Amino acid sequence: MTTVENTPSTGRRDDVAERLLRSAGELSYDPLAEVDWETPLDPAHHGCSPEWSTLYGTSYWDEMTEEQRAALTRQEAASVASTGIWFEMILQQMVIRDFYAKDPTDPAFQWALTEIADECRHSIMFARGAQKLGAPAYRPARHVIEGGRVFKAVATGEAAYASILVAEEVLDVMQRDWMRDDRVAPFARTINNIHVVEEARHMRFAREETRERLEGVGPVRRRAQALLVAFAAYFIVTSMWSRKVYENAGLDPKRALREAKANQHHRAMLRSSCAELMEFLGSVGLLTRPARAIYRAAHIL
Ligand SMILES: [Fe+2]
Ligand SMILES: [Fe+2]
């Protein structure tokens, strides 16, 4: 028997992929069957934990009725889910490209396709969820959509997997709160629960791939990739909460946007939820000085 420490990295990679495949075989969900799509939405229910609202802690929030707060968090949760769909489409294309014409007997190949199938189900689930929350289509700004179009066509290796990890980790911490919160609409809690369970495997794979592909990478490439990942993170995080949510929740959009932009509470929530992610990026050498500046600008460091 070989130990983890002296297992060659391909052996370790196979082990991880095989374990993930087994785990997916034991516990995966069909959201179309698992989520209660039928029961009508109760307007008293929130879309996410109120503490995660971009207005929580502002003077505007204090003036809002409980109903207005719930209406806002429903739009905000739909916006986050819609950004999730946008990124899951980027992610699926990057993984498909990465495994194009590779060895199908490789457990990592089979795992990658399993992950793509998960993401495809997630995106449908988020789309239906956002609709049920009464939200219109929320999409990132035009320049972000076009930037994403280029990124998903060219990003490879560690840059692809590290940015996948960033998106998944940021979402994960929030959804862990929301799935346990009985102020949140039950169907939305189920959606979050499904996503948390299945994404735990994705994050394991993304961490493994990032670490592996950075092995032996020189400083120039590492720095360049670190910068690319940080930019991807910036656009993912700053696209999560659409500025249109306030108007759609019936609020004064100017005042809401102004107070949300200055909301230190929300920034602190983001920063603390990304602590582990930053630790990982640091451990693999992706937290270079310019990258750190970008993470700070996105309020995740
Ligand atoms: Fe997902
Ligand atoms: Fe994922």
Side-chain angles (χ1 to χ4, degrees):
M1 274 291 280
T2 47
T3 62
V4 172
E5 287 80 72
N6 59 20
T7 304
S9 70
T10 48
R12 186 192 149 93
R13 188 166 177 254
D14 285 0
D15 284 351
V16 170
E18 265 161 16
R19 229 174 312 141
L20 293 174
L21 277 167
R22 248 194 329 270
S23 162
E26 280 159 18
L27 188 63
S28 288
Y29 296 98
D30 172 9
L32 293 188
E34 302 280 345
V35 178
D36 174 7
W37 302 108
E38 303 308 321
T39 308
L41 180 79
D42 178 348
H45 279 141
H46 282 266
C48 67
S49 300
E51 291 76 11
W52 271 105
S53 170
T54 54
L55 285 184
Y56 185 89
T58 63
S59 55
Y60 201 174
W61 181 268
D62 293 337
E63 291 171 28
M64 284 157 65
T65 64
E66 200 44 45
E67 240 168 48
Q68 283 179 309
R69 293 171 179 170
L72 174 61
T73 62
R74 288 199 297 272
Q75 293 299 319
E76 290 179 316
S79 171
V80 169
S82 306
T83 310
I85 297 171
W86 167 70
F87 192 76
E88 283 179 340
M89 297 196 82
I90 292 179
L91 180 169
Q92 290 178 69
Q93 188 176 342
M94 292 196 299
V95 177
I96 287 256
R97 272 182 31 241
D98 188 41
F99 279 87
Y100 174 71
K102 283 189 180 162
D103 176 2
T105 65
D106 177 4
F109 179 95
Q110 292 170 23
W111 165 256
L113 290 188
T114 306
E115 180 166 323
I116 290 163
D118 288 351
E119 298 298 16
C120 192
R121 290 194 311 275
H122 293 169
S123 289
I124 300 168
M125 169 174 83
F126 287 151
R128 289 186 66 155
Q131 230 170 349
K132 196 172 161 73
L133 285 168
Y138 286 118
R139 270 167 294 205
R142 193 78 237 169
H143 69 282
V144 178
I145 291 180
E146 295 313 324
R149 202 188 298 282
V150 176
F151 184 75
K152 71 190 172 70
V154 301
T156 53
E158 62 275 16
Y161 286 100
S163 56
I164 289 171
L165 184 67
V166 168
E168 292 178 337
E169 290 256 9
V170 175
L171 214 55
D172 184 66
V173 180
M174 294 192 276
Q175 291 184 322
R176 274 173 201 273
D177 284 350
W178 305 352
M179 72 185 205
R180 297 191 189 101
D181 194 328
D182 57 18
R183 295 167 296 179
V184 173
F187 85 93
R189 293 177 61 187
T190 311
I191 289 176
N192 290 315
N193 198 355
I194 291 174
H195 205 244
V196 163
V197 169
E198 297 189 342
E199 288 296 333
R201 294 189 286 257
H202 299 185
M203 292 188 288
R204 179 73 214 275
F205 186 66
R207 260 182 241 121
E208 210 54 41
E209 290 296 304
T210 304
R211 220 181 267 128
E212 163 134 348
R213 284 153 198 253
L214 278 167
E215 264 169 35
V217 160
V220 175
R221 170 160 167 181
R222 187 185 295 262
R223 277 165 198 280
Q225 298 284 62
L227 203 58
L228 194 57
V229 174
F231 274 120
Y234 178 87
F235 290 115
I236 292 163
V237 173
T238 54
S239 298
M240 278 190 165
W241 290 276
S242 166
R243 47 175 65 213
K244 295 187 186 131
V245 294
Y246 309 109
E247 202 174 341
N248 293 330
L251 301 173
D252 168 3
K254 271 197 186 135
R255 178 176 177 197
L257 200 60
R258 191 174 62 238
E259 296 200 18
K261 274 186 169 170
N263 188 354
Q264 293 304 328
H265 173 267
H266 193 254
R267 292 174 179 179
M269 293 281 280
L270 263 179
R271 269 196 301 274
S272 71
S273 70
C274 289
E276 240 175 79
L277 168 68
M278 291 301 140
E279 207 181 296
F280 172 80
L281 293 177
S283 76
V284 294
L286 288 178
L287 219 48
T288 57
R289 220 218 281 242
R292 275 209 301 269
I294 298 169
Y295 290 125
R296 263 188 223 107
H299 307 295
I300 53 178
L301 180 67

